Amino acid sequence: SACGFHRDDGLEGEALMTQREWIDLLTHLRSSYHLTQEELAGALGVTNRTVSNWERGEVRPFRRNVQRVLAL
């Protein structure tokens, strides 16, 4: 799905990080690099709404999206 969330492929089970750690990572990354949600979304190949949903803790990302963020 476009929001980067799927029940079977989220961070549940084999969590790469907690939801709070994910939110903190995203906000730190965006503020450190002075990125808008739209700019970060473009770099990750997702929508800015997806990034917003992640930052608000509304949805959990696919593992591949966590890995993309960690690779930035």
Side-chain angles (χ1 to χ4, degrees):
S1 99
C3 70
F5 173 76
H6 186 275
R7 245 178 250 254
D8 298 325
D9 196 24
L11 293 175
E12 299 299 328
E14 300 175 32
L16 297 174
M17 63 183 65
T18 66
Q19 182 79 0
R20 182 78 252 160
E21 289 170 331
W22 171 249
I23 292 168
D24 290 347
L25 173 65
L26 285 178
T27 54
H28 173 75
L29 180 71
R30 284 202 324 105
S31 69
S32 294
Y33 292 99
H34 308 286
L35 297 172
T36 65
Q37 288 180 341
E38 189 171 350
E39 290 167 332
L40 180 58
L44 299 175
V46 299
T47 67
N48 59 318
R49 182 173 177 177
T50 296
V51 173
S52 175
N53 286 339
W54 289 341
E55 288 184 352
R56 290 191 328 270
E58 296 291 321
V59 296
R60 294 162 83 79
F62 285 124
R63 284 183 196 93
R64 69 178 172 265
N65 288 326
V66 173
Q67 292 165 341
R68 286 178 185 154
V69 169
L70 295 174
L72 291 177

